[in-house]
Amino acid sequence: MFERFTKDARAVVIGAIEHAERAGEERVDEPHVLLALLDREGSRAAFALAALGLTGQREAVVRDLAEARRRGGLSRADTDALAGLGVDVAEIVSRIEEAHGEGVLAAGRQGGARRSGRRPFTRGAKDLLTMSLRTALAHDDRHIGDEHLLLALTARPGVPAEVLADHGVTHESIERVLWGKGETKAG
Amino acid sequence: MTEATDLAERAGDRDPRIGLRAVSALRRLLEQLEAVQVRSARNQGWSWQEIAAELGVSRQAVHKKYGRQ
């Protein structure tokens, strides 16, 4: 599949691995892919993000992702669903941090020992790559570009899609700026 | 235990989508909490056997999951 990735898409995958390494995390997950997408310049994804006004909001996006990590990677939809059961995630996070230190839930999946060698991708991150292929096929594109990775990210439920949506970047808005779809609906 | 049963029951009488999401989120939260507690126990010198006994699983299961050096 990787032979079909454009240079930009490969750079995003490599960037995601680097973000995971830098954070000391054992696995490469979908938020790392988003962070890598935010690093791109001059690519199709970078164009879409800039067109949707995300350029100046990079820090805010990074902060939102970090906040979700602190909740153990649970999205707002997750915490809302749990609130429906009477489970107060914020309360749990605060008690656990009180006892075990700040950001301890974010470290939940850290290995610490994996300093070298290949970092495995989470199932979600693997599914994301597969979905980017399907996204490219759906647009009759021969190659998988970073815009397909971005689009696939917004199509999957979870923290990255929620954070992007909070900043006005949704599946529909990307389709609109890159493929001119849904203009009548938007206008 | 009764609390977990209570949660399961209440998860059942909602919109299935919300209920299933809650269960999935709870499972992920549980995994994170387990990792925190196992790490804490190891830091305090607990053996894998002792941790496994508290978690109600086999020593091998805990070691396989967290015992990476």
Side-chain angles (χ1 to χ4, degrees), chain A residues 65-155:
Chain A
L65 287 176
E67 193 55 43
R69 251 168 56 73
R70 198 168 161 181
R71 290 193 304 262
L74 294 181
S75 68
R76 202 174 330 106
D78 289 333
T79 54
D80 286 351
L82 286 173
L85 289 180
V87 177
D88 186 341
V89 174
E91 181 66 23
I92 292 173
V93 171
S94 122
R95 288 188 189 203
I96 286 288
E97 288 195 339
E98 213 171 282
H100 299 275
E102 198 169 300
V104 73
L105 274 179
R109 276 171 286 186
Q110 276 183 4
R114 195 187 289 270
R115 284 189 195 86
S116 62
R118 283 156 54 101
R119 266 183 168 65
F121 282 59
T122 61
R123 198 173 68 190
K126 282 183 198 162
D127 289 348
L128 172 69
L129 297 182
T130 309
M131 196 165 196
S132 70
L133 168 66
R134 281 210 299 275
T135 305
L137 291 175
H139 288 93
D140 289 325
D141 290 324
R142 250 175 233 284
H143 292 97
I144 301 163
D146 65 349
E147 74 273 29
H148 300 118
L149 284 167
L150 176 63
L151 202 57
L153 207 51
T154 58

Side-chain angles (χ1 to χ4, degrees), chain A residues 26 72 78 105 107-109 113, chain B residues 21 28 32 35 39 68-69:
Chain A
E26 197 185 38
D78 289 333
L105 274 179
R109 276 171 286 186
Chain B
R21 184 181 264 276
R28 273 175 289 143
Q32 307 277 2
R39 209 162 44 223
R68 230 176 13 254
Q69 290 306 307

Side-chain angles (χ1 to χ4, degrees), chain B:
Chain B
M1 208 59 211
T2 51
E3 232 178 291
T5 315
D6 190 22
L7 288 185
E9 277 170 9
R10 282 160 68 187
D13 64 23
R14 301 180 65 91
D15 169 2
R17 209 154 37 97
I18 305 284
L20 289 169
R21 184 181 264 276
V23 170
S24 154
L26 202 51
R27 191 180 291 136
R28 273 175 289 143
L29 186 60
L30 170 78
E31 288 293 322
Q32 307 277 2
L33 292 174
E34 187 182 87
V36 170
Q37 298 296 350
V38 169
R39 209 162 44 223
S40 163
R42 286 297 289 172
N43 287 341
Q44 290 180 44
W46 282 46
S47 70
W48 294 113
Q49 183 59 61
E50 289 171 313
I51 295 170
E54 285 300 325
L55 288 175
V57 297
S58 73
R59 190 191 64 81
Q60 288 87 342
V62 180
H63 192 264
K64 191 177 170 206
K65 199 165 169 188
Y66 299 101
R68 230 176 13 254
Q69 290 306 307

